[in-house]
Amino acid sequence: MASLQASSLLSSSSSRISSSKRIINAAISVPKLPRIRFPVPKTPSSDLVKDLILRDGFTNTIPIEKSATTPTIIDEEPLANSSTSKATAKLYAILEAVADRVEMHKNVGEQRDNWNELLLNSINMITLTAVTMAGVAATGGAGAPLFALKLSSTLLFTAATGMLFVMNKLQPSQLAEEQRNATKLFRQLYSQLQTTLALYDPTDLDVKDAMDKKKQKNGKNGWSEELEVEMREIIEVIKAKDSEDYMRLGNLALKLNKILAISGPLLTGIAAVGSAFVGNGSWGAIVAAAAGALATAVNTFEHAGQVGMVVEMYRNSAGFFALMEESIESTLEETDMERREDGEMFEMKMALQLGRSMSELRDLARKSSYSNIEGTTIDEFASKLF
C-alpha cells in the first residue's frame, strides 16, 4: 500500500514537474516571438559606409549648429573649382598653340637652312665648272670649240652672279637663325606653361600673363555683339588679303614650276642633239654648250630653290586660312548660344592662330571696319606668322 502511495506521489510529482517545465518553456519562448529588427543595434556595413561617403551622407547629417563654417565652404568650393578649371583649360589651349608654333618654326628653320646649303653648293659647283671651262678654253686652239667653251663659261658665270645676287639679298642663313631663335623662345614658353600646370593650380592671372590681355565677359557664353562684329571683320581681312594672296602666289609658283620642269629636260635634249653634231660644224658645239649650260642653271634653280615645295607651302597656307574662315563662319551661324564655344576662348584661339595678341586682333578688326566705311582696301595681312 505504501508502495502504491509512493508511486502515485511520484507520478503526480513527475506530472507536475513536466507541467511546470512546459510552463517554464512557454515562459522562456515569449521573448523570441517578436523578431523586430531595430536599427539601433545594427552596425552599418562597409557598403553602406562607402555609399554614405560617396553621397556626402555624413556631411549632410551634421547639424548646422555644430559646424557653422560648413555651409560657407560648400557654397564657395564650386566657384573656385569652376574658375580653376576654366583657367586650366585656357592654359592648355595656349600650350597646344605654343607646341604648334614650336613645330612650325622648327620646320621653317630647317627649310631655310636647307635652302642655304643647297644654293651655296649649287653656286659653288656652277662657279667651279665655269672656271674649269675657262681654263680649258685658254689652253685650247682657235675655232668653234674655243667659242663654245667661252660661251658656256660666260653663261655659267652669269647664272652664278644672278643666284649670288638673290642669295645675298635674301640671306637664307640669317632667316634660318631667326627661326631657330623663335623656336628657342617658344620652347621656353612651353616649358614655363608646363611648369605652371604641374606645380600649382593656374589662375586667371597666369592666363593674363601668357596672353597679355584683359578679361572681358560680355553677353551669353562670353559672346557679345562687339565680338561677333570683330569676328566678321577678321573674316573679311582673311578673304581679302591672306587667302587671296597666298592662292595667287601658289598659282604663280605652280606655273613657274611647270615651266622649269619642261625647260630642264628640253634643254638637256637639245644639248644631246647638238653634241651629236660636234665636229660637223660650229653650230653643233655652240648649241650643245649653250643648252647644257642653261639646263644646268634651270635645274639648279628648280631643285635647289625647291619650287615644288614653295607651291605646296602656299597651297597649305591658303587652305589654312580657308579653314579659319569656315570655322569662324560656322561658329557665328550657330544660333544656340549654349552650343557655341566660349567667346573669350574662341577669340583667344583665333589670335593665337594668326600670331597676334588679343589687342592686335581687335585693332585689325577696327581697321577693316574703317576701310570698308571709307571704301579703301586694307593694307595689312591678318596673319603675322609669315
Side-chain angles (χ1 to χ4, degrees):
M1 188 69 178
S3 61
L4 291 173
Q5 290 179 351
S7 61
S8 61
L9 288 172
L10 288 173
S11 61
S12 62
S13 63
S14 61
S15 62
R16 288 176 182 177
I17 291 172
S18 61
S19 62
S20 64
K21 286 182 180 179
R22 285 195 296 272
I23 294 171
I24 292 171
N25 290 335
I28 293 172
S29 62
V30 170
K32 296 182 179 179
L33 291 175
R35 295 181 178 274
I36 301 173
R37 298 178 182 269
F38 292 99
V40 175
K42 186 69 175 178
T43 303
S45 62
S46 60
D47 293 335
L48 180 59
V49 173
K50 292 180 182 180
D51 185 67
L52 290 173
I53 293 174
L54 292 176
R55 297 184 182 182
D56 292 335
F58 291 118
T59 305
N60 294 332
T61 57
I62 296 176
I64 297 177
E65 292 81 1
K66 294 182 180 179
S67 180
T69 59
T70 302
T72 305
I73 295 174
I74 294 175
D75 291 339
E76 292 181 357
E77 188 175 2
L79 296 177
N81 290 338
S82 177
S83 176
T84 302
S85 62
K86 185 172 183 181
T88 304
K90 289 181 180 180
L91 275 186
Y92 272 113
I94 297 174
L95 189 70
E96 183 179 352
V98 169
D100 183 68
R101 290 291 294 273
V102 169
E103 187 67 21
M104 183 198 72
H105 286 295
K106 178 176 177 292
N107 293 336
V108 173
E110 292 177 353
Q111 163 206 316
R112 290 178 177 177
D113 188 60
N114 194 25
W115 271 356
N116 181 58
E117 183 179 357
L118 290 173
L119 286 172
L120 182 61
N121 292 336
S122 299
I123 290 172
N124 289 337
M125 290 299 299
I126 290 174
T127 304
L128 289 175
T129 303
V131 170
T132 303
M133 287 185 173
V136 172
T139 58
L146 178 62
F147 179 75
L149 289 173
K150 288 183 179 180
L151 179 61
S152 300
S153 178
T154 302
L155 291 174
L156 288 176
F157 274 125
T158 304
T161 301
M163 295 177 67
L164 277 173
F165 176 79
V166 174
M167 187 175 181
N168 292 336
K169 182 70 176 178
L170 296 178
Q171 292 291 325
S173 59
Q174 181 180 354
L175 297 177
E177 182 63 24
E178 290 177 355
Q179 295 299 316
R180 282 192 288 267
N181 290 334
T183 303
K184 180 182 69 175
L185 293 175
F186 275 102
R187 279 177 176 168
Q188 290 178 353
L189 178 59
Y190 186 83
S191 300
Q192 292 173 2
L193 292 174
Q194 281 188 321
T195 303
T196 301
L197 291 169
L199 293 181
Y200 59 91
D201 292 334
T203 62
D204 286 336
L205 181 61
D206 300 310
V207 179
K208 290 176 183 177
D209 293 338
M211 288 297 301
D212 190 21
K213 66 179 183 65
K214 293 180 180 180
K215 185 178 180 181
Q216 292 186 353
K217 286 293 290 182
N218 300 319
K220 194 172 184 180
N221 199 19
W223 283 91
S224 63
E225 184 178 355
E226 180 182 358
L227 180 56
E228 290 193 4
V229 172
E230 175 189 336
M231 290 294 106
R232 296 187 191 279
E233 293 296 337
I234 296 300
I235 291 177
E236 295 299 324
V237 177
I238 293 175
K239 285 183 178 179
K241 295 296 294 183
D242 300 79
S243 295
E244 183 178 348
D245 282 15
Y246 278 111
M247 185 62 69
R248 179 175 55 83
L249 291 173
N251 292 333
L252 289 176
L254 180 61
K255 291 179 180 178
L256 177 61
N257 190 44
K258 288 181 179 179
I259 293 173
L260 294 175
I262 295 174
S263 300
L266 180 62
L267 289 172
T268 53
I270 293 174
V273 173
S275 64
F277 293 96
V278 172
N280 297 329
S282 59
W283 285 106
I286 295 174
V287 169
L294 288 174
T296 303
V298 168
N299 291 330
T300 300
F301 181 77
E302 178 187 1
H303 297 290
Q306 302 184 54
V307 181
M309 184 273 301
V310 173
V311 174
E312 291 301 320
M313 181 180 68
Y314 284 134
R315 281 180 172 177
N316 292 335
S317 299
F320 168 76
F321 291 115
L323 182 61
M324 283 196 66
E325 293 176 28
E326 294 179 2
S327 176
I328 298 175
E329 288 176 350
S330 62
T331 302
L332 295 178
E333 289 174 358
E334 178 60 58
T335 57
D336 188 0
M337 301 301 293
E338 294 296 335
R339 298 183 62 183
R340 279 192 188 184
E341 186 178 1
D342 182 78
E344 186 181 2
M345 182 75 72
F346 186 79
E347 185 184 19
M348 182 185 66
K349 287 182 179 180
M350 294 299 105
L352 289 170
Q353 290 180 6
L354 293 174
R356 292 176 175 268
S357 64
M358 303 280 281
S359 59
E360 289 176 342
L361 192 67
R362 300 186 187 109
D363 291 338
L364 179 64
R366 284 192 289 267
K367 289 180 182 178
S368 175
S369 179
Y370 292 150
S371 64
N372 292 332
I373 294 173
E374 297 174 357
T376 58
T377 304
I378 188 170
D379 57 351
E380 186 176 354
F381 287 88
S383 175
K384 283 190 173 183
L385 296 178
F386 303 102

